[in-house]
Amino acid sequence: NAGVTQTPKFRVLKTGQSMTLLCAQDMNHEYMYWYRQDPGMGLRLIHYSVGEGTTAKGEVPDGYNVSRLKKQNFLLGLESAAPSQTSVYFCASSPQGLGGNQPQHFGDGTRLSIL
Amino acid sequence: AQSVTQPDIHITVSEGASLELRCNYSYGATPYLFWYVQSPGQGLQLLLKYFSGDTLVQGIKGFEAEFKRSQSSFNLRKPSVHWSDAAEYFCAVGANSGYSTLTFGKGTMLLVSP
């Protein structure tokens, strides 16, 4: 049982390059989330999805796009990477939203550096 | 909108001593409350959660937390800390509705001294 798997685990980009982070979950969860974690800032929600084909903006969505074409996958895209996007990115999933009395399950993170 | 404050950035506790990590939240109604722990290089692991009912919540690894509505607090406690408890701890709050999302505090780093 893999849970939530993030790929890649590490990546270095140059400013202006694009890339996609992949999150896959094998728990048949409806909800999926992308967070970024910066020192002293805790986790901040970038985008989330309440089901296949849906996406919604979180607290810090600018500069990112997401897609949820398949229920088990949630992709986070950076179209033109900027040094301010250097961070550790976490994906999470949950069976339902918080009203369903279910916690979020987290992946191990992707450490992204942009030079 | 909800918010979370963890007043202590770092805390150092001697092994075997008791621990209390503070968490204060801001939300207009009774929120959903969580404590997560993050070991270096790892994702977040849920320690415990409060949705309703008994205000003293038991979690994994011997942790407990108490919801105090009058103080808007959800402090995490452990009676005897082990060296393996050294990690970063995050409090999180969510609105009690189906489409709500979590808001995390900035975290408290726990250091355990011998």
Side-chain angles (χ1 to χ4, degrees):
Chain A
N1 184 4
V4 178
T5 302
Q6 294 183 231
T7 53
K9 296 189 183 305
F10 304 94
R11 185 74 184 268
V12 179
L13 290 178
K14 294 181 179 179
T15 297
Q17 287 185 318
S18 63
M19 81 160 294
T20 300
L21 281 64
L22 171 63
C23 177
Q25 52 94 5
D26 61 2
M27 297 173 283
N28 201 34
H29 286 174
E30 288 293 333
Y31 283 56
M32 296 187 75
Y33 313 82
W34 275 108
Y35 294 90
R36 61 177 289 172
Q37 183 180 30
D38 302 292
M41 298 296 292
L43 275 77
R44 293 180 292 170
L45 183 64
I46 305 172
H47 286 281
Y48 65 102
S49 168
V50 302
E52 181 179 317
T54 75
T55 62
K57 294 181 179 179
E59 179 185 355
V60 289
D62 294 341
Y64 304 95
N65 56 77
V66 288
S67 64
R68 184 98 181 268
L69 298 180
K70 293 183 178 181
K71 185 177 184 178
Q72 64 268 34
N73 295 336
F74 195 30
L75 278 63
L76 177 70
L78 286 72
E79 290 187 349
S80 179
S84 61
Q85 294 176 304
T86 293
S87 188
V88 181
Y89 291 85
F90 286 98
C91 177
S93 70
S94 61
Q96 304 172 52
L98 294 179
N101 195 14
Q102 295 291 334
Q104 296 178 14
H105 299 258
F106 283 81
D108 288 338
T110 295
R111 188 173 298 274
L112 182 61
S113 294
I114 300 164
L115 307 178
Chain B
Q2 66 258 28
S3 65
V4 180
T5 301
Q6 293 181 247
D8 304 305
I9 299 174
H10 297 98
I11 281 186
T12 300
V13 175
S14 298
E15 190 169 15
S18 63
L19 169 70
E20 183 170 30
L21 301 182
R22 296 183 290 166
C23 173
N24 293 98
Y25 68 89
S26 174
Y27 180 63
T30 300
Y32 293 150
L33 295 160
F34 305 80
W35 275 100
Y36 283 86
V37 61
Q38 184 182 32
S39 298
Q42 301 295 313
L44 276 70
Q45 181 184 21
L46 180 70
L47 284 176
L48 47 78
K49 61 185 185 291
Y50 172 79
F51 284 92
S52 64
D54 192 346
T55 55
L56 184 62
V57 179
Q58 302 298 320
I60 62 171
K61 304 184 180 185
F63 286 92
E64 67 178 25
E66 186 172 11
F67 169 57
K68 293 185 177 180
R69 184 192 308 273
S70 62
Q71 299 177 18
S72 298
S73 68
F74 189 57
N75 294 349
L76 182 71
R77 301 193 295 247
K78 186 171 185 179
S80 178
V81 169
H82 188 262
W83 63 266
S84 61
D85 293 324
E88 190 157 24
Y89 292 79
F90 293 93
C91 182
V93 63
N96 54 0
S97 64
Y99 292 105
S100 68
T101 57
L102 282 181
T103 299
F104 284 84
K106 295 182 178 181
T108 297
M109 181 66 72
L110 173 64
L111 306 174
V112 180
S113 60

